[in-house]
Amino acid sequence: MIVRFWGVRGATAVPTATHLRYGGNTCCVAVTGADGELIVLDAGTGFCQLSDALLAGPFGRGEGQLTVLLSQTHWDHLLGFPFAAIVHRPGNRLVVYGPGHADRHIEQIYGMMLAPEYSPFFELSNMGATHEFHEPGPTPFAVGALTITARPIPCAEGYSWGYRVSSGRAAVAYISDARYPGCRPTPEALELACGADLLIHGASTTLAEQQGEQEPCSVEEALALALAADARRLMLSHHAPERSDEAIDALLAYYRARLAEQKHCLTLDAAAEDLVLVL
Amino acid sequence: MQARIWGARGSYPVARADVMAFGGNTSAVEIRVGETTILLDAGTGLRGIGQELCGDAGRNLGRLHLFISHTHWDHITGLPFFVPLRDARTRLQIYGLRRARISLRQTLAEAMSDPLLPFNLSGVQAELRFHELEDSAEIDVDGVATVRAVRVNHPYRALGYRVESEGGTLAYVPDTGPFHTVLFGDDYVAWDGKACGLAEQRQLALMRAGLLRLVAGADWLIYDTQFTDEEYRARPHWGHSTPAQALEIAGEARARQLLLFHHDPHRTDAQVVALLEQHRPLAALYGVGIEAACEGMALTKRAAA
């Protein structure tokens, strides 16, 4: 299984030189299985960059297929979608899992984004590629030889979806936004991260920075889950737009020192664009 | 009048090392006239304008005017991250095209509320006023500037603006196709390889004439040049122009300087420079100055010579 980061920024893209080492594109991670199965976690602006790279292969010929797992439908997880070149190429097929909202199915939410007020594409039927939409459910499903488990995770605005992608030999867990009251991870979060080789977790704030319940996830919450679930490596992601490369370096150094003091063997890193991990 | 470019990228923001010279933020331009601040579009570049406005005690937050060319994502995604919205001193006038189907306020509010964002536009501390504009509207801005709007040729229609004050005139046309092949309106245009019919050609000619009046004699013309000639031939139904098409408008309207704008997200800095250099001879023939808009670029009267 190969994991590659294409967008690690939360909230809004930050095309600023001081943020480029970690990266300024919004959420997108690609997971490729041994048989070439392609799973994409979130479709922020990083998805457009991934899409350009994919054009060199089957997607460029209209013969590509991928599965997109959306953790939520906020801009930073979804807005790269309609502009990616591969979705305008007939023949490509996208299978999309994402949450609905109230009485709206994920396909309708996506349709809203394409409305003529907001996009030059008007509606899904103008997109070229074939799209198939599903809402995540409790039953694990297979994409090639990879198994995907989806679980609801509480966050500031209700809940997001967390995912676990497993090849049998290795597993990666992805939780972009979560709030665990009292830093006590929920059973669903523990299930996804349990013994994972890699846990990618949102960490836009720190406990000290959080000012109330509407704030996004903290480093402490991500650490609490990684330690409780006995994950091998934690990759902080969904970096706040305000955090420069230097600020992320400092944050990492601080929390690594704390882990060392407490003699934990968890590996702590911060997700960076173009980082490739082989699990 | 002092103008500054904060976002010049088209379609979506791009954070990549090879685009940093011209910048990866989407459309946003700031114009200061005395205590008044006029903002053109609310792309991701707007976030930086907001930070600067709130960081400078000398700026008057009570005189902010935002003119939106159209509400496609790349022209509005900076709005929820514009910090003056969270400041009770802020009085922000928001202007945009009037539509039959949905109000400007609702268009913006729905774009940034559940399930697409948890942002409540009605709950902000700032005082917001919405103004819906018809084609050819003319607005007096705090008695220090005049803004005119005309319809241009883009899917679901868009506006171009002319900002005129004592310190100079800036025309802003971030998204428009040319006026000879495809007429855009409220319906989706699928490209069948054929130029539109005579009735549409006539409408296009009228639209073009309106645009020429908007641009006439402007010190600066910020204009959609997302496409190369080759890209335009492949996608005339996307509603964007080329540098040569922009120069034709600039030359005919006797604008003094053309600023290439709405750079394609794939266009690297080196490619923007190459496009610019390639078009200098044509610009010289038209007698128009030519540059490419980049983030941080300041426009002052002297630079327009």
Side-chain angles (χ1 to χ4, degrees):
Chain A
M1 207 156 60
I2 299 170
V3 178
R4 179 159 179 184
F5 294 85
W6 291 92
V8 298
R9 197 60 61 175
T12 184
V14 190
T16 310
T18 50
H19 292 54
L20 274 196
R21 185 156 47 81
Y22 286 98
N25 290 302
T26 56
C27 308
C28 183
V29 181
V31 179
T32 312
D35 299 329
E37 311 94 322
L38 179 58
I39 292 177
V40 178
L41 296 152
D42 279 332
T45 63
F47 186 66
C48 297
Q49 304 300 318
L50 163 64
S51 161
D52 289 341
L54 290 176
L55 284 179
F59 287 92
R61 304 189 296 269
E63 296 165 3
Q65 175 167 340
L66 59 77
T67 301
V68 180
L69 308 176
L70 298 171
S71 61
Q72 45 157 291
T73 53
H74 290 168
W75 291 357
D76 49 338
H77 301 258
L78 196 60
L79 256 181
F81 218 146
F83 298 99
I86 59 167
V87 309
H88 294 282
R89 199 142 302 193
N92 288 334
R93 184 161 172 267
L94 291 99
V95 182
V96 183
Y97 289 82
H101 180 263
D103 54 353
R104 267 182 294 207
H105 189 267
I106 178 66
E107 182 166 348
Q108 286 169 297
I109 297 173
Y110 191 60
M112 246 177 85
M113 273 186 54
L114 300 178
E117 285 84 3
Y118 305 124
S119 99
F121 311 117
F122 285 55
E123 58 187 34
L124 192 60
S125 60
N126 296 322
M127 299 298 276
T130 307
H131 292 65
E132 189 185 298
F133 288 91
H134 303 275
E135 303 221 350
T139 315
F141 56 95
V143 174
L146 301 175
T147 305
I148 293 158
T149 310
R151 291 288 178 266
I153 304 292
C155 68
E157 291 90 30
Y159 68 92
S160 68
W161 282 87
Y163 296 96
R164 179 185 178 99
V165 182
S166 172
S167 68
R169 282 180 40 222
V172 53
Y174 179 86
I175 296 175
S176 76
D177 205 358
R179 289 304 302 273
Y180 310 125
C183 271
R184 280 190 297 276
T186 55
E188 289 82 3
L190 285 166
E191 183 191 349
L192 292 179
C194 180
D197 300 274
L198 176 65
L199 168 61
I200 302 165
H201 203 291
S204 304
T205 62
T206 64
L207 269 193
E209 288 168 347
Q210 276 182 354
Q211 301 168 333
E213 288 176 4
Q214 291 307 306
E215 296 276 306
C217 191
S218 67
V219 180
E220 284 81 357
E221 285 161 297
L223 277 169
L225 175 61
L227 293 172
D230 208 16
R232 293 179 59 186
R233 185 174 189 180
L234 170 62
M235 194 69 78
L236 304 176
S237 191
H238 206 273
H239 308 308
E242 296 76 25
R243 283 241 214 278
S244 65
D245 293 332
E246 279 182 16
I248 295 176
D249 287 341
L251 191 93
L252 259 187
Y254 173 79
Y255 286 97
R256 278 176 177 162
R258 281 185 50 175
L259 282 174
E261 268 168 34
Q262 295 157 12
K263 304 217 182 317
H264 288 298
C265 57
L266 172 72
T267 304
L268 178 67
D269 284 306
E273 269 178 44
D274 298 337
L275 185 64
V276 180
L277 301 173
V278 182
L279 301 180
Chain B
M1 172 161 145
Q2 227 182 327
R4 188 170 164 193
I5 312 279
W6 288 80
R9 192 62 52 180
S11 297
Y12 55 87
V14 190
R16 261 194 349 244
D18 61 359
V19 301
M20 280 298 114
F22 291 94
N25 281 301
T26 60
S27 304
V29 177
E30 176 196 21
I31 300 169
R32 292 196 211 179
V33 191
E35 294 210 358
T36 293
T37 302
I38 296 171
L39 305 164
L40 301 173
D41 274 334
T44 62
L46 187 70
R47 181 169 163 264
I49 303 180
Q51 287 169 333
E52 195 178 271
L53 273 168
C54 287
D56 181 350
R59 299 293 291 273
N60 188 342
L61 295 177
R63 292 189 177 185
L64 306 184
H65 301 260
L66 168 62
F67 290 85
I68 296 177
S69 63
H70 63 311
T71 54
H72 281 172
W73 290 115
D74 53 328
H75 296 260
I76 63 170
T77 42
L79 193 54
F81 305 102
F82 185 56
V83 282
L85 291 184
R86 293 186 222 137
D87 193 315
R89 293 171 300 172
T90 299
R91 289 187 71 224
L92 174 63
Q93 318 291 321
I94 302 180
Y95 308 81
L97 185 62
R98 182 189 298 280
R99 296 192 185 282
R101 191 165 86 164
I102 181 172
S103 72
L104 175 64
R105 180 186 195 114
Q106 203 183 344
T107 303
L108 294 172
E110 284 185 7
M112 53 195 73
S113 58
D114 275 335
L116 295 176
L117 265 198
F119 193 88
N120 178 4
L121 195 61
S122 316
V124 299
Q125 285 82 353
E127 182 188 326
L128 307 181
R129 294 261 173 87
F130 292 82
H131 308 268
E132 298 188 347
L133 307 180
E134 308 280 359
D135 187 5
S136 304
E138 187 168 317
I139 301 106
D140 173 79
V141 180
D142 296 339
V144 296
T146 306
V147 175
R148 277 210 296 129
V150 298
R151 178 187 167 187
V152 290
N153 198 27
H154 195 62
Y156 208 59
R157 294 179 286 140
L159 292 175
Y161 291 108
R162 176 190 180 93
V163 183
E164 200 163 350
S165 78
E166 251 178 42
T169 299
L170 183 149
Y172 177 76
V173 187
D175 287 61
T176 187
F179 302 87
H180 55 68
T181 305
V182 180
L183 171 68
F184 296 101
D186 286 347
D187 298 319
Y188 183 77
V189 177
W191 176 236
D192 59 4
K194 292 191 206 107
C196 58
L198 275 180
E200 286 88 3
Q201 297 278 3
R202 181 168 160 71
Q203 269 201 65
L204 281 169
L206 287 172
M207 206 190 298
R208 186 175 186 275
L211 175 63
L212 287 174
R213 286 193 296 275
L214 187 89
V215 175
D219 296 300
W220 305 279
L221 169 61
I222 294 174
Y223 203 92
D224 177 356
T225 55
Q226 175 146 343
F227 284 157
T228 61
D229 295 343
E230 191 187 345
E231 286 162 353
Y232 177 76
R233 281 193 292 273
R235 304 182 199 101
H237 58 305
W238 280 23
H240 296 296
S241 298
T242 66
Q245 289 159 350
L247 275 170
E248 185 189 300
I249 296 292
E252 206 167 319
R254 297 188 176 276
R256 298 180 72 180
Q257 185 171 44
L258 169 68
L259 294 164
L260 308 181
F261 192 76
H262 213 267
H263 309 305
D264 186 274
H266 301 95
R267 196 86 64 231
T268 63
D269 291 331
Q271 289 168 335
V272 174
V273 169
L275 266 180
L276 181 61
E277 294 309 321
Q278 183 195 330
H279 288 87
R280 281 200 194 280
L282 185 60
L285 281 179
Y286 279 117
V288 174
I290 185 170
E291 290 301 333
C294 68
E295 274 176 41
M297 182 185 253
L299 307 177
T300 53
K301 203 58 184 280
R302 201 182 309 170

